[in-house]
């Protein structure tokens, strides 16, 4: 290579997942699949959002176990820790520190409009804590510390990335260009995977119906059973056709099949023309089994190697802290804190 031309800096991608439940097919198709497919192209930061998880009560031992297993899941999905920065959110104090600063630049009215806050307060009526309310300011801090270009998330997190942009623009408007304004990066198919048992609800790791949610670590026979039981629609035509309003169950299965096989809806309709739901549901199950099989096998292998996982999250915290602290110092200076 010509020594005088500097290679162009890679664009930055950043995202996180709460270890408040095991990784699901929703988090895989909505987020991680996009991360791993672009890991070579971007400079990537991915973390386990443990600080966010305690907005809802957790069993401490389970939270610890899931945080580590989630890291194994990230690596098994193809995120090479040598090329991507993988870390635990609570290991980088700058998240909480910038989170506080951004609390003071995020408006009560904005936070009150967040659909996730409304949903979670309904589900946890006995524990509507301040953290649940100010959560988007912490998420904005998670993002802005690393000055990313893109934030790959599922559809349900788009509103949080938008509030992050608003807060960053507000801050920049007062203090000059401190933060890069990030874009949400949402997949074309799989951005909103619905529950298999109630296809009008999002598939969620905290789902109380075990048949509604497919976990990344589910054994093949469990996945096959869940898809066989998947609720289809009570329409009379019984044909595989994409119509989310009229046929939410079948349309959800079609989206999952499309995301796993790369086929478009027209090709799927043609493939199952005249075959009905009885043939379609197990085919979707098989496509999911084959998509998740290598990930599950690799994750199971990695989970046993505690020392390796520890070395990954330690190195990740160090790399992440270096970048995060640079941004935090700049912010502290701008708002008028005395340098130590
Ligand atoms: P979380 O943990 O709820 O979900 C993790 C990621 O998976 C996506 N996702 C889905 N996509 C499609 N269909 C589904 N059924 C489905 N369920 C989950 C989510 O959109 C998300 O991308 N607040 C975030 C975590 C977070 C974060 C961040 C993300 C904290 N800080 C900074 C990005 C940047 C959350 O609760 O995601």
């Amino acid at each position: 290579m010509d020594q005088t031309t500097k290679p162009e800096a890679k664009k930055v991608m950043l995202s996180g997942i709460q270890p408040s439940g095991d990784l699901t097919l929703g988090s895989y198709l909505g987020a991680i699949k996009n991360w791993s497919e672009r890991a070579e192209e971007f400079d990537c930061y991915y973390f386990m959002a443990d600080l966010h998880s305690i907005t809802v009560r957790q069993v401490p031992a389970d939270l610890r176990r899931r945080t580590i297993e989630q890291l194994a899941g990230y690596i098994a999905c193809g995120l090479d820790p040598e090329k991507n920065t993988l870390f635990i959110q609570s290991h980088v104090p700058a998240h909480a520190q910038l989170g506080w600063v951004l609390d003071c630049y995020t408006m009560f009215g904005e936070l009150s409009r967040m659909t996730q806050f409304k949903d979670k307060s309904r589900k946890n009526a006995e524990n509507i804590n301040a953290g649940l309310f100010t959560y988007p300011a912490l998420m904005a801090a998670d993002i802005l510390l690393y000055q990313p270009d893109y934030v790959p998330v599922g559809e349900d997190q788009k509103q949080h990335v938008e509030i992050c942009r608003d807060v960053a623009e507000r801050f920049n408007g007062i203090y000059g260009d401190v933060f890069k304004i990030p874009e949400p990066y949402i997949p074309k198919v799989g951005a909103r995977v619905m529950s298999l048992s109630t296809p009008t609800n999002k598939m969620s790791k905290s789902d109380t119906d075990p048949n509604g949610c497919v976990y990344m670590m589910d054994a093949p026979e469990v996945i096959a059973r869940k898809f066989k039981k998947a609720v289809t629609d009570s329409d009379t035509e019984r044909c595989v056709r994409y119509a989310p309003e009229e046929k939410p169950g079948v349309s959800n299965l079609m989206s999952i099949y499309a995301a796993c096989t790369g086929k478009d809806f027209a090709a799927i309709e043609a493939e199952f023309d005249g075959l009905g739901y009885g043939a379609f549901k197990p085919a979707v199950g098989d496509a999911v089994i084959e998509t998740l099989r290598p990930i599950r096998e690799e994750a199971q292998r990695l989970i046993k190697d505690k020392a390796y996982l520890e070395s990954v999250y330690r190195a990740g915290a160090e790399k992440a802290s270096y970048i995060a602290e640079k941004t935090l110092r700049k912010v502290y200076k701008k708002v008028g804190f005395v340098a130590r």
Side-chain angles (χ1 to χ4, degrees):
M1 191 175 48
D2 177 358
Q3 298 293 309
T4 56
T5 51
K6 253 174 102 188
E8 214 175 294
K10 282 185 174 177
K11 295 217 166 181
V12 178
M13 249 189 183
L14 166 136
S15 200
I17 296 183
Q18 295 192 56
S20 50
D22 294 326
L23 291 171
T24 69
L25 180 65
S27 36
Y28 176 70
L29 296 179
I32 312 178
K33 185 164 180 282
N34 247 346
W35 308 356
S36 55
E37 285 171 357
R38 280 150 192 88
E40 297 288 324
E41 205 182 320
F42 292 91
D43 185 10
C44 301
Y45 296 82
Y46 296 118
F47 60 96
M48 282 61 77
D50 56 349
L51 295 178
H52 283 271
S53 295
I54 62 163
T55 53
V56 173
R57 290 279 176 274
Q58 302 293 325
V59 175
D62 289 346
L63 180 60
R64 245 186 304 275
R65 172 187 56 78
R66 284 195 304 254
T67 304
I68 304 293
E69 289 184 3
Q70 195 170 303
L71 173 63
Y74 286 6
I75 303 170
C77 286
L79 298 172
D80 178 351
E82 299 289 323
K83 296 184 187 150
N84 301 277
T85 306
L86 308 179
F87 63 101
I88 299 174
Q89 185 188 25
S90 63
H91 288 182
V92 183
H95 288 247
Q97 291 168 304
L98 183 61
W100 168 252
V101 174
L102 296 184
D103 273 346
C104 304
Y105 294 80
T106 310
M107 301 300 140
F108 184 89
E110 288 176 306
L111 293 170
S112 316
R113 286 193 289 275
M114 294 294 110
T115 44
Q116 192 177 64
F117 171 68
K118 292 187 213 161
D119 270 7
K120 287 201 174 173
S121 339
R122 216 177 307 119
K123 286 186 194 147
N124 301 283
E126 73 303 335
N127 183 23
I128 307 176
N129 58 72
L132 196 61
F133 186 64
T134 60
Y135 170 119
L138 178 61
M139 178 158 159
D142 300 336
I143 298 172
L144 298 173
L145 280 171
Y146 302 89
Q147 311 278 4
D149 297 274
Y150 298 106
V151 182
V153 285
E155 186 66 45
D156 62 320
Q157 292 297 323
K158 190 167 169 226
Q159 199 183 32
H160 290 161
V161 180
E162 278 161 3
I163 195 175
C164 164
R165 289 166 56 90
D166 293 343
V167 172
E169 275 165 4
R170 181 171 304 136
F171 197 93
N172 285 355
I174 305 170
Y175 302 105
D177 277 346
V178 177
F179 298 126
K180 179 174 268 179
I181 309 298
E183 298 279 342
Y185 189 91
I186 294 169
K188 288 202 175 65
V189 273
R192 193 171 177 80
V193 177
M194 309 307 276
S195 157
L196 299 189
S197 50
T198 321
T200 44
N201 293 348
K202 190 188 79 166
M203 182 181 284
S204 158
K205 54 191 162 218
S206 51
D207 204 337
T208 44
D209 177 357
N211 290 320
C213 182
V214 173
Y215 294 98
M216 258 170 57
M217 297 297 278
D218 275 347
E221 57 279 12
V222 174
I223 300 178
R225 197 189 60 229
K226 288 180 180 176
F227 278 95
K228 271 194 201 117
K229 281 200 177 153
V231 168
T232 37
D233 307 294
S234 51
D235 55 335
T236 45
E237 66 173 19
R238 315 284 303 163
C239 80
V240 175
R241 182 166 65 81
Y242 190 73
E245 296 289 323
E246 254 173 86
K247 295 159 76 94
V250 170
S251 302
N252 182 42
L253 295 178
M254 285 181 77
S255 298
I256 294 172
Y257 192 65
C260 290
T261 59
K263 294 176 186 170
D264 63 22
F265 293 141
I268 299 169
E269 285 171 4
E271 184 178 346
F272 294 95
D273 187 26
L275 295 179
Y277 301 156
F280 181 51
K281 291 201 287 183
V284 182
D286 286 344
V288 171
I289 290 169
E290 290 321 314
T291 302
L292 296 182
R293 185 191 301 281
I295 299 172
R296 179 176 49 92
E297 288 173 357
E298 179 63 359
Q300 278 171 337
R301 189 185 70 77
L302 288 165
I303 286 167
K304 291 191 199 118
D305 196 347
K306 296 271 181 290
Y308 170 69
L309 294 173
E310 187 177 325
S311 72
V312 169
Y313 67 67
R314 277 173 185 267
E318 218 163 286
K319 283 199 273 176
S321 295
Y322 177 78
I323 306 290
E325 278 165 21
K326 250 193 346 204
T327 305
L328 185 70
R329 274 198 299 276
K330 202 164 160 188
V331 168
Y332 273 15
K333 190 169 168 196
K334 291 283 186 187
V335 299
F337 294 164
V338 174
R340 200 168 66 177

